[in-house]
Structures are given as C-alpha cells and as structure tokens.
Amino acid sequence: SFCVICTHKEAIFAATMLQQGLCSSKIAINGENHANNKNNKIIQHRTCRVAVHAKASKPSSKASKNATTKRPQTTPEGTKRRVVVTGMGVVSSLGHEVNEFYNNLLAGKSGVSLIESFDTKDYSTRFAGEIKKFSGAGYVNKKFERRADNVIRYIVTSGKKALEDAGLKAGSSKSKALDRQRCGILIGTAMGGMSSFAAAVEALGSSGYRRMNPFCIPFAITNMGGAMLAMDLGFMGPNYSISTACATGNYCILSAARHIQRGEADIMLAGAADAAIIPSGIGGFIACKALSKRNDAPQRASRPWDKNRDGFVMGEGSGVLVLEDLDHALARGARIYGEYLGGAVTCDAHHMTEPQPQGKGVVLCLKRGLEDAGVKAGQVGYVNAHATSTPAGDMAEYRAINQVFPQEDLRMNSTKSLIGHLLGGAGAVEAIATIKAIETGWIHPTINLENPEEGVDPVRVVAGQKQWRNVEVGLSNSFGFGGHNSCVLFGKYRA
C-alpha cells in the first residue's frame, strides 16, 4: 500500500501506521517518493523525524542514534494491552442518558420530527432527528453555555456524562486519583461548528468583519470540543480530532484504543459529534440530493433497505466512550461494559459520494477488522450497519456484510432508522448501541421496513420488533463521503 503525507501530524500518524503494520513502508512526503531499501532511512520533515522501515525489520543503529525520542515499551514486544469500555455518554434526539436512549431504540420509538430551530417553509426537506431544547447546565462552563456552538456543548456534555458513568465524576476521589498525564481525548466531528461559522459569514456579509464574533474561528474548528473538555478535566494525554466525514466516530474510537494498546495512555475519551441541523446544513444536503422529502410523515422517512426509501434523514448529537486499559480498570474496581477487540479502515478510491458498487472496500475493511480483532467471521453475532436509507448505499453494504458473514443467525440493524444520520457522530452513538446489545442481549429493531428490497431478509435486519440474541461479538460499520470505510468490534469481557 502507499501513504501520502503532507503535514507534521500526518507524518506522525503514518509512522504509527507503519509501526503497526497497517501499510507498507513506502511514503510520499510533499510529493517526493521515498521507497524503503535495505538500509532504513530517517526522513526529515519540518520538525518531525520519521524512521521508515519494513515492519519485519529492526531499526538500524544509525536510526537509533538520530532519533530524538524512543517510543515507550510498556508491554512485551508483539503484544497489545487489552482495552475495555467502562463508561458511555450520549446526547441524542431520543434522550441524553444511555439507558433512556437505548430503551427508546428497543421500543422502536422514532426521534425524527419537524424542525423547530429555524423556519423551513421554503425547504424541500423540513424534518430531522433534531434535539429539542438542549441544556448543558452542570456540564458546560456557564461562560460558554450560551455562546459555544452546539457541537461543542454536545461533546463536553456527553464526555462528562461518560466519565460519570465510569465512576469518575469530576471532584470524586477516584477522579482525583487519576494520572492526568495518562488520560487523553480523541473526539471528532465531520462538520465542526457549522452554526458559529455560518453566523460569522452572515455578519461579514451584512455588517463587515468588525461585527464578527471573536469566537467564530475557535468555535468552528473541529478540535475545539475535545480541547475544551480537556481544559475542564485537566487531561494532558493525547488530544486531537479526526474528521473523515460520516466515518469519523469509528476512526476516533479505533485510534484512541491504539493509544492505550501502545501504552501511551490509561484512559481515552473517544467518540464524535455533529450539529448540522441549521439552514446551510439542511440546504447543503438538499443541494446534494441526499435528503428524504417525506415531509408528510417524518417519522417514517428513514427506511433502510426499503424499496421506497428516498434519501437519508439528518440527525444530530454526540456519543463518547470511556476506553480504559484493562489492568487500570480492574485496579480501580470499574464496571466493565465490554471489551474493544479491534477494527480497521479502508478507502474505496472510487467516488466522492457513491459507494463502490461491488463493496470491495467494505469487504476489505470487514476482513481486516476481523484480523485485527483476532476474531473469526462466525463469531460475530450482530452488525450495526451504516444503513443510511440511501438508494445505492444500503444494498452495497448489505451484500458486503452477507459476503463476509454468511451465517444465518447473524443479525444486523440500522440505528439511523430511528434517529436519522448523525454524520460524524453516527459511529460513536452506534458504538454505544452495539455495546448495549452485547450487554443486554436485546437488539433494537429497524423501523419503517415495509417493502424490503429483493433479497433482504426482514428477520436478518430485525425489522419491526426487537430481537434477543446472546451476542458475544458485535461489529459497527461507518462509511463516509470520499469512500472512507471503517468498522470497530466489541465483545463480552472475559477475564
């Protein structure tokens, strides 16, 4: 495989991918091709020095002398630290507590409704999975509660709720005992602070730059939610955001887990959020011809795998997991919801918005995810599908899942049928649904499947009513514009 690096941070990320054997040692930096040869190379890139070597080879003596730092080896070579889920936090149109959220999913309750936050009379789509009257009181700093973009408020609130759920409420003795230099945050967003940026553009056009909010740039950039959460918590470990469109949540979870596996952190808050139900967000996706126009029956609009689907339904919200080193969790007596087993990412390299018709990238992603997790296909009992209710995407994914998981007892469903598509936040919220299915044994229904596409088994996709299954391993898919494919796997915790 071939990696292209343009920036300092991308060089670090690519080096990590090489170290983990996720791509071969062939790198292009600012357009210059650096192929590996018999002698390892140190590539100087701005202030970042990257040792490039094949995964089977050892660093040369020259590389060792020139390297400025050495990656800490906290586990025996070739082993990974085990990562478990000890807390979850959610903000959604079906509730802001995890149990409330999941119980509503199990009941088949739709969180989709007519939009109330702005006048939609001139829009061809007038509904969404909108959060009504959200308050971050008690979680978001009072200074920013009324000023910060909703995406930041959602991230901070769900992040702190996840820590509370993990028994690490701010100010508690267990929270104070944490080594904050080994606690990090990796929470992303696909769209960033859209409302803040849109308001700034409007002010610029009507009154000039002097009327622009001085916070318009900080509140718009994608890393600020996780950064502000770190400021509140004092977490000094790895902290950055990833933005890969609607695959963002899975990318963040997967990358956060690897920080723990490599011994760089003991706890990572991982997840994603989006808040794009604003005029430019709805209008932009209408222009893409991506949204359903079922204005007469909004709750029936999101209908994955149904012949009468006409596009996806916009949603909003946030999901955050507390990922924790197993030994660290056991030492503090934490409740363990399940274990993170592994995951993978691939790219279709096909089209900006359309999936590769044969699902080659998805199949590759699923197979690599199984390999990373050390799991056989037959062990997977449940897949939370990406399933957005789009004409092309649903069936391409369905065929890919069936190709990799042919077992008859596999179940898959679509959380988006109930809450719409949370864009970058979708994968994080759906990871919570996957973990709850493993924990409770109950798989929530896919609603609105009234006229299934040819070849779609209503029982297999849990149409209409929840189903009970003893799920040992669950997998969650997320795909994004640009051809980004991702999957993460969770399993029951076994000592």
Side-chain angles (χ1 to χ4, degrees):
S1 52
F2 192 95
C3 294
V4 179
I5 308 174
C6 299
T7 68
H8 174 95
K9 185 166 75 172
E10 289 168 352
I12 296 173
F13 184 75
T16 301
M17 299 286 277
L18 287 167
Q19 290 165 345
Q20 295 170 355
L22 297 178
C23 62
S24 64
S25 55
K26 190 176 183 183
I27 295 181
I29 296 182
N30 286 343
E32 184 179 353
N33 184 14
H34 297 265
N36 191 32
N37 55 32
K38 293 181 180 179
N39 298 317
N40 297 319
K41 295 182 178 182
I42 297 290
I43 297 175
Q44 183 74 38
H45 178 61
R46 297 183 184 176
T47 60
C48 175
R49 307 179 76 180
V50 182
V52 181
H53 54 84
K55 64 181 180 179
S57 65
K58 294 183 179 180
S60 67
S61 58
K62 181 179 179 181
S64 298
K65 290 178 182 178
N66 289 339
T68 56
T69 59
K70 293 180 69 176
R71 183 166 63 89
Q73 295 290 334
T74 57
T75 57
E77 188 173 354
T79 67
K80 296 178 181 178
R81 299 167 89 201
R82 293 175 68 183
V83 179
V84 292
V85 180
T86 57
M88 298 183 284
V90 68
V91 171
S92 79
S93 61
L94 285 180
H96 310 323
E97 302 295 337
V98 170
N99 287 337
E100 176 191 12
F101 165 71
Y102 199 64
N103 286 338
N104 281 331
L105 291 181
L106 291 177
K109 181 179 179 180
S110 175
V112 177
S113 60
L114 293 174
I115 294 170
E116 297 178 4
S117 56
F118 64 94
D119 187 356
T120 62
K121 66 180 180 181
D122 294 329
Y123 291 74
S124 58
T125 294
R126 298 188 288 276
F127 59 91
E130 184 182 46
I131 295 171
K132 314 293 187 185
K133 299 178 181 178
F134 174 79
S135 171
Y139 297 98
V140 180
N141 187 305
K142 290 182 179 179
K143 177 181 177 181
F144 295 113
E145 168 62 9
R146 296 178 63 183
R147 303 171 73 180
D149 195 278
N150 275 344
V151 74
I152 293 176
R153 297 166 69 223
Y154 295 167
I155 287 171
V156 171
T157 300
S158 57
K160 290 183 179 180
K161 282 178 176 281
L163 281 175
E164 287 182 359
D165 188 49
L168 296 171
K169 184 176 181 178
S172 67
S173 58
K174 289 188 176 181
S175 174
K176 291 178 180 178
L178 293 176
D179 180 352
R180 279 165 165 71
Q181 294 183 12
R182 295 189 57 78
C183 296
I185 299 172
L186 213 171
I187 301 176
T189 166
M191 309 299 285
M194 281 195 72
S195 181
S196 297
F197 196 74
V201 171
E202 184 177 349
L204 177 66
S206 62
S207 306
Y209 75 89
R210 290 182 177 84
R211 301 299 298 173
M212 293 172 70
N213 185 333
F215 289 98
C216 65
I217 297 300
F219 285 166
I221 56 181
T222 61
N223 66 300
M224 193 52 64
M228 291 179 67
L229 184 56
M231 294 172 205
D232 285 353
L233 300 173
F235 283 10
M236 298 174 65
N239 189 316
Y240 56 99
S241 65
I242 295 173
S243 183
T244 46
C246 302
T248 294
N250 275 3
Y251 272 72
C252 290
I253 292 168
L254 190 151
S255 298
R258 286 178 177 156
H259 282 294
I260 298 173
Q261 290 173 334
R262 295 195 302 265
E264 298 165 356
D266 295 325
I267 289 178
M268 291 291 295
L269 296 182
D274 261 314
I277 302 176
I278 63 172
S280 58
I282 295 294
F285 279 103
I286 290 174
C288 289
K289 304 185 186 304
L291 297 184
S292 169
K293 296 178 174 61
R294 199 180 287 263
N295 294 301
D296 57 337
Q299 294 186 344
R300 298 175 57 214
S302 185
R303 45 183 54 235
W305 302 302
D306 190 273
K307 287 182 178 179
N308 297 318
R309 64 194 184 280
D310 67 334
F312 78 83
V313 175
M314 183 85 83
E316 64 177 344
S318 176
V320 175
L321 305 180
V322 178
L323 299 179
E324 189 166 356
D325 169 60
L326 174 60
D327 292 339
H328 188 275
L330 293 176
R332 69 177 186 87
R335 172 185 55 190
I336 296 175
Y337 285 108
E339 183 169 3
Y340 169 84
L341 301 178
V345 299
T346 62
C347 183
D348 281 347
H350 171 70
H351 189 273
M352 279 197 298
T353 60
E354 294 294 322
Q356 205 280 336
Q358 287 75 43
K360 293 178 181 178
V362 174
V363 169
L364 178 63
C365 184
L366 295 173
K367 289 182 176 179
R368 286 186 175 176
L370 291 171
E371 181 180 359
D372 184 61
V375 169
K376 295 180 180 179
Q379 294 176 268
V380 177
Y382 165 58
V383 174
N384 189 299
H386 186 61
T388 59
S389 188
T390 54
D394 289 3
M395 291 308 296
E397 180 186 16
Y398 186 80
R399 288 189 291 267
I401 292 172
N402 286 341
Q403 180 179 334
V404 179
F405 305 105
Q407 59 267 32
E408 291 185 4
D409 59 348
L410 179 87
R411 293 294 179 267
M412 68 178 90
N413 64 1
S414 171
T415 302
K416 295 179 183 70
S417 69
L418 296 122
I419 60 174
H421 189 355
L422 276 59
L423 307 180
V429 171
E430 289 161 13
I432 291 174
T434 303
I435 294 163
K436 290 299 290 183
I438 294 169
E439 181 201 13
T440 66
W442 285 105
I443 299 174
H444 76 71
T446 300
I447 65 171
N448 301 323
L449 184 58
E450 299 167 351
N451 190 10
E453 283 277 11
E454 184 177 353
V456 172
D457 180 357
V459 175
R460 190 170 178 80
V461 298
V462 197
Q465 295 290 329
K466 65 183 179 181
Q467 293 184 27
W468 191 90
R469 276 286 189 279
N470 180 21
V471 179
E472 289 287 335
V473 178
L475 180 150
S476 180
N477 280 337
S478 284
F479 314 134
F481 278 4
H484 301 291
N485 306 307
S486 66
C487 67
V488 290
L489 291 92
F490 301 92
K492 288 185 178 179
Y493 165 66
R494 304 293 186 191

